[in-house]
Amino acid sequence: RTLYLTIPANSPLLPGEHYGFRFLVENPKDPFSTSSSLIATAHKDPSAPAVTEGAVGSGQSYGHGTGIDALGRYWSIETRVGMGNTGLDINNQVDLNYQIPSPPIFLRAPYFAILPMSTVGLQETTLRVSFRTANSLMPQATVLVRGPAGINFGAPGKFCMTMSDRELDEVFTAFEALGATKQSPRLSDYVQCRVVDAETLRLTNTDAVRGGRPLVAGPVYEFIVEAVTNPESNPEINLWQLEAFTDTELTKEVWSIEGYQIKPELSETAVLSSNPAVGLFTDFTFQFRTVSRVQDGGSVRITAPKPDYFFGPRLASPLTEVDLLSAIPPKAGDSPQRPPDGTEVRCTAQAPPGFAAVCNDVLEFDPCIQRREIQAFEAQNPSAPKTDMTELDAACLELTTYCETGQMSMLFTCSASIGVMIEGARKSELEFTLAHNVQIREGSLFQVLVTGYNTRQKPVTTTGSEVDHWVFTTRRADSAKTILDEQRSVVGFRLLGVVFVNLISPNIQTVSTADNEVTIQIQLETEVDPAASLQIEYPMAFSEEAALEGATITTGDTFPRKVTIRHNDNIIEIETQDEALPRDTLLEFKVVVSNPSISPPPEENIWRFTTVYLDAPGGAEALDCNYDVPGFRIFGSFREPTPLMEPGIVSPGPNVENQVGVWFTLESGDLPYSLGVTSVMRVYLPQGFMPMPGCGGEDLYAGRHINRDNVAGERFPSDLEFQNLPPGTYCDIGSEGTENYMELTFDESLDYGFNYAFMFGMMNADVDPPEGTNFFRFETRVGSVILHLQRQVANFDLEVIRSVALTSADTTSASHSGASYNSMRIDLQSDKYIDGGSEIIISAPAGYNFACRGKRTYIFREEDGEDIRRPGQTELCPDQISSAADGQLPACPDTLPSVCLEEIAAPNKITFQLEGGVSLQENTDFAIVVQVVNPEFTPQPNTWRVEIKDPFGSHLDVRDHVQGFDITGKVLTEITPDFAFLGQNNRLSISFVPSTIMNQADDGNELVVNAPRGAGFIFPVNCTSFALRYTSSVFEAQMEAYKHYVFPPAGTACMGFDNSTLVIRFPRGAGLLVSNYTMHVDVINPKAATNATLDGVWSFETRVRNELIYKIVDANRSIGGFEMSELQLEQADSEEGGAPAAASVVAMLVVFLARW
């Protein structure tokens, strides 16, 4: 029964001041009263005997008296000082009053309820009041109903209701539709309701005291109160009180209930559009005056009436995309496709014009509030310790600065939901969420601007209204986003038709030009009856330097024949009094303007079009408009002849660092410099080329090394004097879409007519850009405006090593080769002179591992110019690598003296450096043999890189993206001839065991047999004697699970090509399991024995080959051959010797048939 109030620090209770507070307490169950109506605030006297917990001021009698002055009904209040629990000590008591009479406790009225028709603040509403009493209301007795502060029942003496019975029935029916219970008995006619004051009603039983009728107790009675005005917002004490002076000993029955929640209504609401045409891009401005304060984390929600209202940045569209490099702007008037329903969009809140000046009167910030409170306390308490407000001062200054400068996006976030379901219909929604420490003051006029697109549909209503209604809501920061204030009938703006602008084309596209004739073509969405006016406003910059006295405007054939034209400054009016301006008709006119020295910035280079019906009943009425039409652009130029940018090429190879020399001359005007305006020059690089960070270093772009001899390739013109860029020039790099650029920012103006030169670093592309795109682009910019422009400055073509070929002795993976080194050969030809000390760098894909291992690594040169890769050539060691065993390469006398260098950090990279005095002439064929361990799998990407650098480290030649070979599994293979005689048909038995299955899902599974190249073996086209089977019954037994599988599958094809290659192709859906197989096929042996015949190596591959893929699965490229001899036939000595010869032939045939 005790209530403790803890006073916060720095907030003392001062002597002599009046203080008050409220709290909720449960009354005792037994009523008591007195003639006194004193009300005090305290808790029960601690000296009184204990009562039931929570029954403060219980109705039990203690001591003398039974009313509020009974001893047990006194309340007490005291103050104590101390910190924490020490304040509870009675010894710390300061003030005390222990004889405060209790308030009286009356009989409770059994039932009391209020139901409003509307809960909107300051809105007129109708109330249904229901009550029940425990005792009868006697004649001339009254019932008082008191509303909360702010309610307004009307003028004193007014009747609560003046409705007819029929109207009253309709009202009760309306309440039932709101969910109210079916109506209770209405008040009898002898009970009248009148207004006492704005917040009090009185019900009076008007019957006479003698013989009058009481309003009997028991039923719930209802009555209607009309024309009641709600409070503006929820009252601080939102309680309704019933006081019924019934036939009770305690004179009255009372009850209080919580009032209905008021929805404060926002006022002075408005929606404005800077471009109010259907579907067009616009600036939306939203305005309202708040009732309740919106705390930080709270939000403002704007609900648009149509789902295709869009809030956010411009939507990308090929029809409306502006090309800054084109003088002619795109067509204007088409509305882009909206994102799908339910899309969330991030938008940017902005300050409308003029709002920044009053922003700090509308918004309030927590650090500023805390700062003021501390200052006020310290002013009242000079002796109190001073608070360090450094952080509060900084935070307050930061937020108020955002406000004053209109940086609304720093004060609240903006998000939009497009086409979401709201109250059963699809609409678009915009929400501004207040940032931490930011509040909107109560009663303030809030404004915010956001870009977006109007709906593409004009409103269609039964009333003929041309505007839609929006909904504005302010909400708390709680999880339910409780509504604070709302306005559900915000009148929108009037949507107009669209002026479609198909063309704005200048005759002259250069700066500083007078008498420039501009052609404009438009189409109207709405026909304009006479008298009609077409109004055009173009950027002021095109009129400031024009001699407007001589300016002319001409209209095309589709315009009305008789028009009146007025041209004042940048405003054009074309009026017609007799004919309409037609819709859906191409209207063309021309106007002469004067080009300024620079294009206006994009936000100012806007044309505005409006059509007006001058004789509309309510005065001139706009019908179509378009206030977002980009104007044409003008550019400066560079001095002829071109090219204006001469690349001095240091390294023309692909994917290498390069230095490029640039010279240029401004022709039409300076590149100005002024404080607050950025003047830059950009060089856009061709596709794939990248500027180096920092543009390669200040020494380059500052021009300290500019001369005519320090760059390779093309030179700067020798007959020109060049100037360095101004001191303080800064260079940076960037990208715009897919284009990379380097950008120079100047601290001084660049004068026209002077030759400027600089250099910058860039990384060359991997490959030449697509045909027709290998150009630089050169721009100067002032702010966001392009001043000088030069397109298609020719770039150099990338130069690559003329030829690179890779040959590996073993392509099997590391696991199948035992991770041993195998010999690999790289054949090269460069059109560059390679001097002694130059380096040749081989970079393999990840997973390869090179090694420099003594004489097993070589560089070879072919002196006579013959192709060293020609099969069969044996005088050069590299031709022997395919048959050489690991560690058995012979010594090679034609090797070039070189040093082999491994890179520990990059084992897939190896470098060969030619010794001094050793060189390779242009177009020399040479080869490198290296030792390498293959990776486990085919790497991705599977490309190699070869670089040649001169002794100073600059690139001479490069070849990138050299296609590597597939890493394969090992296929164990043995070839056995049946008839190893020169020039004869030979039936081969080829036994093989693949290590990798051939997937039946792959289309184009093949087996490939290659006889030694140049040996003379021929596989006939008709593929005679072909057969394919499992090697033994052991494997056939293993295949029992596949007994229904026919092998070889039907459709297996054997293909010879009358050369050394044989291909076996499986049908679609057939593959090969890991097993032991034997294949038989005929080959025609060579007619004569050669080195290739004797020492040649056979190869066997399993592969996948189709239109989309070529992949080696398993391979064996080191299969030993077999010896062959000439066939010796027996000669017939005589006629009787013929029989034995014939018998020999027959015997031979029998043997072959038996073996088959």
Side-chain angles (χ1 to χ4, degrees):
R1 298 178 303 168
T2 302
L3 177 71
Y4 295 94
L5 298 182
T6 301
I7 309 302
N10 300 326
S11 299
L13 299 182
L14 302 178
E17 292 287 339
H18 289 276
Y19 297 98
F21 60 93
R22 289 186 296 271
F23 61 94
L24 187 65
V25 65
E26 182 180 333
N27 289 334
K29 63 180 179 179
D30 298 322
F32 56 87
S33 64
T34 182
S35 57
S36 173
S37 59
L38 295 175
I39 298 177
T41 57
H43 63 275
K44 182 183 179 298
D45 186 344
S47 64
V51 296
T52 304
E53 182 65 20
V56 178
S58 170
Q60 299 180 38
S61 177
Y62 305 101
H64 300 286
T66 59
I68 62 174
D69 56 350
L71 181 61
R73 297 195 179 103
Y74 283 126
W75 295 52
S76 68
I77 184 169
E78 63 177 297
T79 59
R80 299 178 184 178
V81 297
M83 298 296 292
N85 292 330
T86 60
L88 302 179
D89 190 344
I90 190 66
N91 296 320
N92 293 330
Q93 190 178 78
V94 178
D95 290 336
L96 171 66
N97 186 339
Y98 61 90
Q99 288 187 327
I100 304 173
S102 171
I105 303 299
F106 295 103
L107 187 68
R108 170 183 170 179
Y111 182 75
F112 180 38
I114 303 289
L115 181 63
M117 188 71 73
S118 171
T119 60
V120 176
L122 295 181
Q123 191 172 90
E124 188 174 280
T125 187
T126 300
L127 301 180
R128 189 178 91 164
V129 184
S130 306
F131 71 95
R132 181 163 64 91
T133 59
N135 300 277
S136 297
L137 186 70
M138 304 308 291
Q140 297 299 310
T142 61
V143 176
L144 295 180
V145 177
R146 292 188 178 90
I151 198 77
N152 190 343
F153 293 123
K158 186 190 79 166
F159 283 102
C160 296
M161 180 195 68
T162 59
M163 300 179 185
S164 66
D165 288 342
R166 183 181 60 81
E167 292 172 329
L168 190 60
D169 288 338
E170 292 176 353
V171 170
F172 274 108
T173 301
F175 274 109
E176 290 178 13
L178 294 176
T181 57
K182 193 172 182 179
Q183 65 191 51
S184 301
R186 302 177 192 174
L187 283 175
S188 302
D189 294 339
Y190 55 86
V191 179
Q192 290 184 350
C193 177
R194 288 178 180 268
V195 175
V196 178
D197 55 41
E199 298 174 0
T200 307
L201 303 174
R202 177 186 289 122
L203 296 175
T204 304
N205 184 340
T206 59
D207 269 8
V209 174
R210 292 179 179 273
R213 294 164 293 178
L215 187 68
V216 297
V220 174
Y221 295 98
E222 294 183 344
F223 64 96
I224 298 297
V225 185
E226 59 183 350
V228 180
T229 302
N230 285 328
E232 183 179 34
S233 59
N234 281 315
E236 189 173 1
I237 303 178
N238 190 11
L239 294 177
W240 289 71
Q241 187 179 46
L242 177 77
E243 196 172 3
F245 295 89
T246 60
D247 186 19
T248 174
E249 294 181 359
L250 296 177
T251 70
K252 61 181 177 181
E253 302 173 30
V254 297
W255 190 237
S256 296
I257 60 172
E258 186 77 22
Y260 55 88
Q261 294 296 305
I262 299 296
K263 295 179 180 177
E265 194 167 57
L266 299 167
S267 60
E268 299 180 49
T269 54
V271 182
L272 305 175
S273 175
S274 65
N275 189 21
V278 175
L280 297 190
F281 188 76
T282 186
D283 291 341
F284 293 103
T285 299
F286 303 103
Q287 171 187 294
F288 57 83
R289 186 175 295 279
T290 60
V291 177
S292 308
R293 177 174 288 253
V294 186
Q295 302 284 351
D296 64 342
S299 61
V300 175
R301 181 178 64 183
I302 309 292
T303 304
K306 294 284 193 306
D308 60 343
Y309 275 101
F310 177 85
F311 306 108
R314 288 185 186 271
L315 295 171
S317 170
L319 299 176
T320 58
E321 186 174 358
V322 176
D323 182 3
L324 297 178
L325 303 180
S326 173
I328 300 175
K331 295 181 180 181
D334 291 317
S335 185
Q337 184 68 33
R338 303 296 190 266
D341 287 344
T343 300
E344 299 288 333
V345 181
R346 300 295 297 179
C347 44
T348 302
Q350 303 175 50
F355 183 74
V358 298
C359 179
N360 281 315
D361 296 329
V362 177
L363 303 181
E364 196 165 23
F365 310 108
D366 291 349
C368 303
I369 296 173
Q370 298 172 27
R371 184 170 170 269
R372 284 197 306 270
E373 291 175 349
I374 294 174
Q375 289 174 336
F377 171 77
E378 291 180 348
Q380 294 177 359
N381 301 273
S383 60
K386 301 301 180 184
T387 303
D388 184 0
M389 295 193 292
T390 303
E391 292 185 3
L392 288 178
D393 288 343
C396 179
L397 178 62
E398 180 183 42
L399 292 170
T400 54
T401 302
Y402 289 149
C403 212
E404 293 167 355
T405 55
Q407 299 183 62
M408 297 296 102
S409 61
M410 304 301 293
L411 302 177
F412 36 81
T413 60
C414 176
S415 62
S417 301
I418 309 302
V420 294
M421 292 299 297
I422 300 175
E423 298 175 350
R426 290 204 176 273
K427 300 178 182 180
S428 286
E429 188 176 76
L430 178 66
E431 185 171 24
F432 303 97
T433 303
L434 273 64
H436 182 57
N437 289 334
V438 179
Q439 304 179 24
I440 303 178
R441 299 174 190 260
E442 64 273 20
S444 62
L445 188 64
F446 178 79
Q447 293 179 319
V448 65
L449 182 150
V450 67
T451 59
Y453 288 86
N454 296 325
T455 178
R456 290 176 288 188
Q457 301 175 357
K458 287 186 179 179
V460 179
T461 63
T462 56
T463 62
S465 172
E466 295 186 355
V467 297
D468 278 322
H469 288 86
W470 299 57
V471 179
F472 290 4
T473 310
T474 61
R475 303 190 291 184
R476 297 184 189 274
D478 56 23
S479 58
K481 295 189 175 181
T482 305
I483 293 176
L484 292 169
D485 305 339
E486 189 172 42
Q487 176 57 266
R488 301 189 63 82
S489 299
V490 181
V491 178
F493 51 90
R494 177 172 168 262
L495 283 163
L496 307 181
V498 179
V499 177
F500 296 92
V501 181
N502 294 342
L503 180 69
I504 300 180
S505 177
N507 188 44
I508 303 173
Q509 301 178 4
T510 54
V511 298
S512 304
T513 305
D515 299 330
N516 182 16
E517 186 179 65
V518 182
T519 301
I520 299 103
Q521 294 178 350
I522 65 172
Q523 282 182 271
L524 306 181
E525 187 174 18
T526 309
E527 184 169 302
V528 189
D529 294 330
S533 172
L534 171 64
Q535 300 172 2
I536 304 101
E537 179 182 348
Y538 59 85
M540 182 62 77
F542 289 95
S543 66
E544 291 176 347
E545 301 178 12
L548 293 179
E549 295 79 10
T552 59
I553 298 174
T554 57
T555 56
D557 296 337
T558 53
F559 260 93
R561 289 166 294 178
K562 185 178 180 181
V563 296
T564 301
I565 299 175
R566 289 184 291 273
H567 189 181
N568 298 314
D569 293 331
N570 62 328
I571 306 295
I572 301 171
E573 293 183 74
I574 304 176
E575 288 187 10
T576 171
Q577 296 292 328
D578 303 322
E579 298 181 58
L581 289 175
R583 62 171 291 178
D584 300 330
T585 301
L586 193 66
L587 303 175
E588 180 177 295
F589 62 97
K590 298 180 180 180
V591 58
V592 176
V593 300
S594 180
N595 293 352
S597 59
I598 185 173
S599 271
E603 63 274 12
E604 297 178 12
N605 193 10
I606 298 296
W607 291 54
R608 298 166 59 89
F609 295 80
T610 313
T611 62
V612 180
Y613 177 32
L614 298 175
D615 293 340
E621 177 184 356
L623 297 181
D624 290 351
C625 73
N626 195 336
Y627 302 149
D628 185 46
V629 182
F632 66 90
R633 284 165 294 281
I634 52 179
F635 304 105
S637 59
F638 294 89
R639 176 168 298 175
E640 299 290 344
T642 56
L644 302 170
M645 189 165 120
E646 289 280 357
I649 309 164
V650 173
S651 302
N655 200 24
V656 297
E657 294 183 13
N658 194 2
Q659 293 179 0
V660 177
V662 180
W663 70 273
F664 64 94
T665 309
L666 304 180
E667 176 61 23
S668 54
D670 301 343
L671 177 62
Y673 169 78
S674 61
L675 288 175
V677 179
T678 305
S679 297
V680 302
M681 178 173 63
R682 282 187 181 180
V683 178
Y684 286 85
L685 279 58
Q687 180 178 323
F689 289 80
M690 292 282 294
M692 298 298 294
C695 303
E698 185 179 357
D699 285 351
L700 288 179
Y701 64 78
R704 296 171 188 164
H705 301 296
I706 292 296
N707 57 64
R708 299 187 184 94
D709 301 320
N710 72 330
V711 289
E714 301 180 49
R715 309 292 180 178
F716 290 119
S718 59
D719 57 341
L720 297 179
E721 291 295 328
F722 295 102
Q723 295 195 23
N724 293 336
L725 299 178
T729 298
Y730 172 74
C731 188
D732 201 359
I733 66 174
S735 62
E736 207 171 70
T738 59
E739 294 184 298
N740 300 311
Y741 63 83
M742 57 84 64
E743 181 178 87
L744 295 162
T745 302
F746 303 110
D747 281 347
E748 296 180 15
S749 299
L750 296 184
D751 299 325
Y752 80 96
F754 286 87
N755 301 315
Y756 293 94
F758 67 94
M759 297 177 68
F760 71 93
M762 74 176 182
M763 177 68 72
N764 290 348
D766 288 347
V767 296
D768 280 319
E771 186 176 354
T773 65
N774 194 15
F775 299 103
F776 291 90
R777 187 173 78 250
F778 194 71
E779 297 176 4
T780 64
R781 297 190 177 203
V782 178
S784 59
V785 178
I786 297 175
L787 179 54
H788 301 87
L789 174 65
Q790 181 65 36
R791 303 178 180 87
Q792 295 191 340
V793 178
N795 184 28
F796 56 88
D797 293 329
L798 295 173
E799 298 182 14
V800 298
I801 298 175
R802 179 167 293 178
S803 66
V804 177
L806 308 177
T807 305
S808 178
D810 187 357
T811 62
T812 56
S813 63
S815 61
H816 286 92
S817 64
S820 61
Y821 287 91
N822 75 89
S823 298
M824 180 177 176
R825 170 173 159 177
I826 301 100
D827 293 283
L828 305 100
Q829 186 190 81
S830 172
D831 58 2
K832 304 294 190 300
Y833 175 79
I834 304 174
D835 202 353
S838 297
E839 293 182 342
I840 303 168
I841 304 166
I842 311 295
S843 297
Y848 285 91
N849 195 336
F850 288 113
C852 296
R853 302 184 65 181
K855 293 184 178 181
R856 301 178 60 191
T857 304
Y858 306 99
I859 301 181
F860 302 94
R861 174 176 54 197
E862 176 62 22
E863 298 289 359
D864 59 7
E866 295 184 12
D867 184 1
I868 64 174
R869 290 163 293 174
R870 189 183 67 221
Q873 189 171 357
T874 59
E875 60 270 20
L876 291 176
C877 284
D879 289 311
Q880 302 174 17
I881 67 170
S882 61
S883 60
D886 188 41
Q888 297 180 2
L889 281 176
C892 298
D894 296 322
T895 59
L896 298 175
S898 63
V899 177
C900 175
L901 304 172
E902 298 178 14
E903 294 196 23
I904 298 175
N908 60 323
K909 187 174 183 180
I910 191 168
T911 300
F912 294 87
Q913 185 176 39
L914 294 175
E915 292 185 2
V918 178
S919 62
L920 293 170
Q921 299 297 320
E922 296 89 338
N923 302 318
T924 296
D925 287 322
F926 63 101
I928 300 175
V929 174
V930 297
Q931 302 300 308
V932 65
V933 174
N934 294 335
E936 184 63 28
F937 305 102
T938 301
Q940 296 297 329
N942 189 17
T943 56
W944 294 58
R945 175 179 172 88
V946 181
E947 307 167 66
I948 303 176
K949 291 185 177 181
D950 66 18
F952 302 101
S954 297
H955 280 85
L956 286 174
D957 223 347
V958 177
R959 187 67 175 258
D960 216 341
H961 304 291
V962 179
Q963 186 59 43
F965 48 86
D966 289 337
I967 299 300
T968 66
K970 189 78 170 181
V971 52
L972 302 177
T973 311
E974 181 181 1
I975 299 177
T976 305
D978 276 1
F979 205 65
F981 295 100
L982 295 171
Q984 301 300 310
N985 283 349
N986 183 8
R987 188 167 182 269
L988 300 179
S989 296
I990 305 174
S991 298
F992 61 94
V993 180
S995 59
T996 308
I997 67 167
M998 300 186 74
N999 196 328
Q1000 63 181 9
D1002 291 331
D1003 180 30
N1005 287 318
E1006 293 181 339
L1007 309 177
V1008 183
V1009 180
N1010 282 298
R1013 293 178 59 186
F1017 289 97
I1018 295 175
F1019 289 101
V1021 173
N1022 58 1
C1023 217
T1024 56
S1025 301
F1026 169 71
L1028 180 62
R1029 61 181 176 82
Y1030 296 114
T1031 298
S1032 70
S1033 59
V1034 174
F1035 295 101
E1036 290 176 355
Q1038 292 176 353
M1039 300 303 294
E1040 179 64 23
Y1042 304 94
K1043 59 185 177 181
H1044 298 296
Y1045 176 70
V1046 179
F1047 186 82
T1052 301
C1054 176
M1055 296 172 284
F1057 304 94
D1058 282 339
N1059 59 18
S1060 59
T1061 298
L1062 175 73
V1063 175
I1064 311 301
R1065 187 176 181 88
F1066 292 108
R1068 181 189 293 271
L1072 201 67
L1073 297 173
V1074 176
S1075 188
N1076 195 321
Y1077 301 92
T1078 298
M1079 178 172 61
H1080 302 282
V1081 70
D1082 283 350
V1083 67
I1084 301 175
N1085 293 334
K1087 295 181 179 180
T1090 64
N1091 289 339
T1093 304
L1094 299 175
D1095 304 325
V1097 176
W1098 293 63
S1099 69
F1100 188 98
E1101 297 176 355
T1102 63
R1103 71 184 184 189
V1104 180
R1105 180 177 64 90
N1106 54 49
E1107 294 179 355
L1108 302 177
I1109 189 173
Y1110 181 90
K1111 177 178 67 175
I1112 305 296
V1113 180
D1114 287 341
N1116 190 338
R1117 298 186 177 89
S1118 58
I1119 306 170
F1122 49 85
E1123 295 183 358
M1124 288 182 290
S1125 58
E1126 292 187 8
L1127 180 62
Q1128 302 293 331
L1129 294 177
E1130 297 181 7
Q1131 299 295 324
D1133 297 332
S1134 60
E1135 286 188 13
E1136 49 279 12
S1144 298
V1145 174
V1146 172
M1148 186 180 299
L1149 290 175
V1150 170
V1151 170
F1152 280 153
L1153 290 174
R1155 293 191 63 178
W1156 174 251

